[in-house]
Amino acid sequence: MAFKVTVDKEKCKGCEECVEVCTAKVFEMREGKAAPVNEEKCLGCESCREVCEEKAIRVVELQSDLSETARSLLRDIL
């Protein structure tokens, strides 16, 4: 699974809570704000979102883009 992590720079107050709580090291501080610099490492646990008092973080699971062959095989199974 892959996840898209975004930080609303207007809401982020730079508290660094997300940096500290993220075991996957997704965030770094840049110009006093949290920045998702290693999104590909996101586990989707949403701990960062939960600790963010400003509600500045969004974590969205990305859907896999299946090939036409894979879709065809899945239709046959289902």
Side-chain angles (χ1 to χ4, degrees):
M1 286 186 269
F3 298 90
K4 174 74 177 162
V5 182
T6 56
V7 176
D8 185 330
K9 299 293 184 190
E10 297 295 318
K11 292 181 179 179
C12 179
K13 302 293 185 208
C15 70
E16 299 186 32
E17 291 290 326
C18 57
V19 176
E20 292 176 22
V21 76
C22 182
T23 60
K25 308 288 186 219
V26 171
F27 299 93
E28 285 182 6
M29 295 302 291
R30 295 208 172 152
E31 298 178 11
K33 306 283 183 170
V37 295
N38 295 310
E39 273 186 287
E40 69 281 357
K41 294 182 179 181
C42 181
L43 304 172
C45 69
E46 298 191 23
S47 293
C48 56
R49 189 185 59 75
E50 292 171 10
V51 299
C52 183
E53 292 181 12
E54 305 303 322
K55 308 284 188 238
I57 300 173
R58 251 182 108 205
V59 178
V60 177
E61 183 177 354
L62 300 175
Q63 299 298 316
S64 298
D65 189 24
L66 299 176
S67 69
E68 186 55 41
T69 303
R71 279 193 279 269
S72 174
L73 292 169
L74 286 172
R75 275 193 296 269
D76 291 343
I77 294 171
L78 302 173

